Amino acid sequence: MQRLRRARGGAPYLLVVVVAVLAVVVQNALLLAAASLTAIYGLWGTSFNIVWGYGGQFSMAQVALGATGAYTTAILDTQFNWNFWLALVAAIAVGVCMSIIIGLIALRLTGFYFAIMTLAFASLLLQLLSTWNRVGGTTGMASAANPGVVNIGSVHWDLAAKNGGLLILAALFLLFFLGSMAQIERTRTGRALSAIREDQSLAASVGISSLYYRLLAFAASAVVAVVAGTLYSLYLLFISPTFFGVSVVITLIAITVIGGTGHKFGPVLGAAIYMILTQYLTWAGTHSDAIFGAVLVVLILVAPAGILGHWKSLSRWAATLVRSRRAPARVPRDVTPVGVKGVKH
Amino acid sequence: MNLFFQALVDGIMMAAVYALVALGLTLVFGLLDIVNFAHGQMLLLGSYLVCALVGGSVSFWIALPVSVVLLGILGYGIDFGLFARVRSSPISGLIISIGLIAIFSDIFRSIWGVNQKTIPAPLRTVFRPGGLTIPADQLIVVAAALVVMAALVLFLRLTRAGISLRATADNPEAAALMGIPVERIRNLAFALGAALSGLAGGLLAGIYPTVPSGGDSILVTGFIVLILGGAGSPLGAVIASLVVALIESFGAVYWTSSAAAITGFIVLILVLFLRPSGLISRSREVTL
């Protein structure tokens, strides 16, 4: 029984692996692009999910943190000839430092004020990037970073290649971070975070330092955001401040809310839906923003917990649907009598 | 010296626009606890409507009030249909407004394309007192803003709806007990905010070209003004818009415009950090 339960918990991980392998084997360009972007946006959404879904802070700086990662690796790689992985570690360090600075200033605030403060930092960073000549200003710069080629016998695996290398790299990062989140959830830190999210003052009254844990969540989210932003720059090959603007912020919020805020796999599911919509439906591709905006608005009104948040009731509903189709003549026993509706209890 | 006065004149003109934007934001925030991120898109809609009407050979002076009224109706509908349903959870309201940004900008792109739209200046007269250039339409913007602000103050002080509005902002429960239809007042406040953004957008369309990205930058400035002036304080919004607009115009003249923008963000961060309740505000409780 226990093994069964564990296997069920592993099913989403398995699904990620299966989709990634399938895309690499089939070698369909569209599927590869959609799967790579799903993994990248899934990661990016995960960073937002960590700070909001787990930490309870509505951060609008995740995209700017991703831009920090993309630009740091690009500069170190193209202008100082650093090794990609060394540059990525440096970028993570820069991103974490930045998140701590922003966090120490912004985490005194909550709600809207925190959201606007993070938005101010994000706008400031983008403005600085677009005036900095070294990174090409508003024109942007090439992100000629290369994570390298893995050679196993006769198999050459280029980690930046669009024919599957980048996808496998992104999927591995995704599995690693989601697995780490699953581990952290069970520790004292994870429990402290959920306590703070539920009731900050109650958590403080039992000795949980709210600022410390929220700062920790913000820094952890920065690590994921930097990796996501860097992978995104590998996908784009060329970066400019416009790639990290408000529309990406909106997309990240939308995929997280649609998938299910506070659920590990929520952003990945949301990203998959977004990519299926935008990559496969041409009409939806040109109007992807509007469609996703509309889905976001409707979802907040009718099902604010997202797909995974309503998973139990959704699957129960699906089960009854299947059952009723199989046995249409069966009448449920506890039918409410007609006319009871208006009666007050 | 000439440059100085020119910057001053430009600054005052922009301050009038920002004040209209910030007044709308502050009205909505004070009454509904929603920071409406879609406010910039509403302003842009006002600009586009005026452009479209003027392009269809309607006079600017008719197009402007038409767009104000349409925006007001739209605002009432949006609040009634969407925001009213998530009153208990302000962050949901914020997410809805973010979704609205995406919808609006897509619609704008589909209808009006990505290129900038310009309309002929509503007034071609240019005053030149002592070497300065003051286009008459800039004066119109300032005059319109002043008139509207005065009307707003009178509305809030003297009319029954205005007094109900202030009562609702002060204490919704008590207002409801006094028989004020709180929900309808909130819808009205949102409609007023939207109408103000429509006015600001329409006026801007007469001076600057309308571009699809115009909503974003003005929204960020609107937030800076809102926070600087103290959320929910109309007088603070007016003073803060003067401060921000003058920083911008003087920065653009004596420095670079991006340096001025960076200064604006830093000022916002500092104010949020040091005095989240705003520089000029009545004692309003802020969740810290």
Side-chain angles (χ1 to χ4, degrees):
Chain A
M1 195 62 203
Q2 194 135 27
R3 192 176 294 166
L4 192 77
R5 205 171 294 151
R6 196 176 297 162
R8 274 179 67 184
Y13 296 97
L14 200 64
L15 195 65
V16 172
V17 174
V18 167
V19 171
V21 170
L22 194 74
V24 173
V25 171
V26 172
Q27 282 293 321
N28 174 308
L30 196 59
L31 179 60
L32 277 167
S36 314
L37 284 174
T38 300
I40 292 167
Y41 270 84
L43 267 175
W44 224 340
T46 297
S47 93
F48 176 64
N49 199 18
I50 292 172
V51 69
W52 187 41
Y54 287 78
Q57 299 283 315
F58 198 92
S59 161
M60 301 187 79
Q62 300 313 110
V63 175
L65 288 170
T68 311
Y71 271 94
T72 311
T73 43
I75 294 167
L76 291 176
D77 237 43
T78 58
Q79 295 175 8
F80 296 92
N81 293 316
W82 279 36
N83 172 283
F84 170 80
W85 293 97
L86 210 59
L88 182 63
V89 171
I92 289 174
V94 171
V96 167
C97 287
M98 196 182 275
S99 73
I100 288 174
I101 294 169
I102 298 176
L104 282 176
I105 296 172
L107 281 172
R108 288 163 26 119
L109 309 166
T110 53
F112 290 132
Y113 291 90
F114 181 81
I116 293 177
M117 186 69 129
T118 47
L119 180 69
F121 271 107
S123 312
L124 178 64
L125 184 79
L126 285 188
Q127 190 72 47
L128 286 173
L129 282 177
S130 54
T131 51
W132 194 15
N133 285 331
R134 172 152 219 157
V135 295
T138 45
T139 333
M141 69 186 294
S143 65
N146 194 348
V149 182
V150 177
N151 292 304
I152 309 166
S154 61
V155 181
H156 304 290
W157 178 29
D158 183 355
L159 288 171
K162 286 282 174 61
N163 62 7
L166 183 62
L167 168 60
I168 296 289
L169 185 66
L172 284 178
F173 269 120
L174 186 65
L175 291 173
F176 170 71
F177 283 123
L178 291 178
S180 318
M181 277 169 75
Q183 293 302 319
I184 291 170
E185 270 177 16
R186 296 199 198 106
T187 63
R188 190 184 158 75
T189 309
R191 288 198 303 272
L193 271 176
S194 63
I196 290 166
R197 187 188 44 194
E198 295 306 324
D199 192 331
Q200 198 169 316
S201 27
L202 186 63
S205 74
V206 294
I208 299 171
S209 161
S210 144
L211 181 67
Y212 170 75
Y213 282 105
R214 284 185 297 146
L215 197 59
L216 200 67
F218 198 37
S221 83
V223 174
V224 183
V226 164
V227 171
T230 305
L231 290 173
Y232 191 50
S233 74
L234 291 186
Y235 182 85
L236 293 172
L237 301 173
F238 191 87
I239 48 175
S240 83
T242 45
F243 289 122
F244 302 95
V246 179
S247 70
V248 185
V249 179
I250 295 173
T251 310
L252 290 193
I253 294 168
I255 62 173
T256 309
V257 171
I258 287 166
T261 314
H263 293 264
K264 272 194 302 300
F265 283 90
V268 187
L269 180 65
I273 294 171
Y274 179 70
M275 290 310 156
I276 289 168
L277 267 179
T278 52
Q279 302 287 318
Y280 285 95
L281 303 173
T282 358
W283 181 83
T286 43
H287 296 281
S288 59
D289 285 358
I291 293 173
F292 242 57
V295 170
L296 185 63
V297 169
V298 171
L299 212 73
I300 279 293
L301 293 179
V302 299
I307 294 174
L308 289 182
H310 295 282
W311 189 250
K312 271 194 185 142
S313 47
L314 269 176
S315 51
R316 204 179 302 136
W317 174 73
T320 48
L321 211 67
V322 171
R323 218 178 295 139
S324 65
R325 199 168 287 170
R326 265 192 213 143
R330 217 175 86 185
V331 179
R333 254 183 299 176
D334 50 349
V335 180
T336 338
V338 182
V340 148
K341 242 182 181 172
V343 177
K344 277 189 182 157
H345 296 286
Chain B
M1 208 55 197
N2 220 335
L3 218 54
F4 175 86
F5 279 112
Q6 202 63 59
L8 190 68
V9 169
D10 285 348
I12 289 171
M13 199 275 301
M14 275 321 278
V17 174
Y18 291 158
L20 289 177
V21 175
L23 276 177
L25 276 174
T26 214
L27 209 59
V28 170
F29 184 74
L31 259 86
L32 288 76
D33 268 340
I34 296 171
V35 173
N36 179 21
F37 274 68
H39 206 85
Q41 301 296 321
M42 289 180 169
L43 177 137
L44 204 53
L45 180 61
S47 297
Y48 275 127
L49 279 177
V50 167
C51 285
L53 286 171
V54 170
S57 63
V58 176
S59 153
F60 178 82
W61 306 110
I62 295 171
L64 189 62
V66 167
S67 102
V68 170
V69 170
L70 284 180
L71 255 297
I73 294 170
L74 179 78
Y76 195 96
I78 285 178
D79 188 56
F80 184 77
L82 302 176
F83 289 111
R85 284 157 212 278
V86 292
R87 291 270 196 256
S88 52
S89 143
I91 285 286
S92 293
L94 179 115
I95 295 173
I96 286 180
S97 76
I98 287 173
L100 285 178
I101 295 182
I103 298 173
F104 272 123
S105 51
D106 195 288
I107 293 173
F108 295 159
R109 206 175 52 224
S110 306
I111 301 179
W112 288 293
V114 291
N115 295 327
Q116 62 179 42
K117 297 264 173 240
T118 39
I119 54 170
L123 286 175
R124 286 172 201 281
T125 328
V126 174
F127 299 110
R128 298 187 189 279
L132 289 174
T133 28
I134 306 174
D137 33 13
Q138 293 202 1
L139 281 183
I140 290 293
V141 172
V142 178
L146 287 177
V147 168
V148 167
M149 277 179 246
L152 195 67
V153 169
L154 290 180
F155 166 75
L156 286 175
R157 296 274 156 204
L158 300 180
T159 65
R160 195 178 171 78
I163 294 166
S164 310
L165 213 142
R166 285 191 295 134
T168 308
D170 252 13
N171 190 335
E173 284 88 15
L177 287 174
M178 294 301 117
I180 292 171
V182 170
E183 266 310 300
R184 222 174 314 146
I185 290 295
R186 284 177 172 151
N187 295 339
L188 178 74
F190 200 97
L192 264 179
L196 284 176
S197 75
L199 178 66
L203 288 171
L204 268 182
I207 300 167
Y208 294 119
T210 306
V211 288
S213 61
D216 300 340
S217 55
I218 206 124
L219 177 72
V220 174
T221 316
F223 278 145
I224 296 177
V225 171
L226 175 77
I227 298 294
L228 204 63
S233 141
L235 179 68
V238 173
I239 297 171
S241 54
L242 257 177
V243 172
V244 171
L246 289 176
I247 288 180
E248 255 180 25
S249 63
F250 278 98
V253 166
Y254 289 102
W255 220 356
T256 63
S257 54
S258 59
I262 288 168
T263 315
F265 292 132
I266 291 174
V267 167
L268 173 61
I269 289 167
L270 282 177
V271 171
L272 267 172
F273 183 65
L274 299 171
R275 269 188 69 101
S277 55
L279 288 180
I280 319 126
S281 82
R282 57 204 166 102
S283 56
R284 191 189 146 83
E285 204 187 318
V286 171
T287 41
L288 259 174

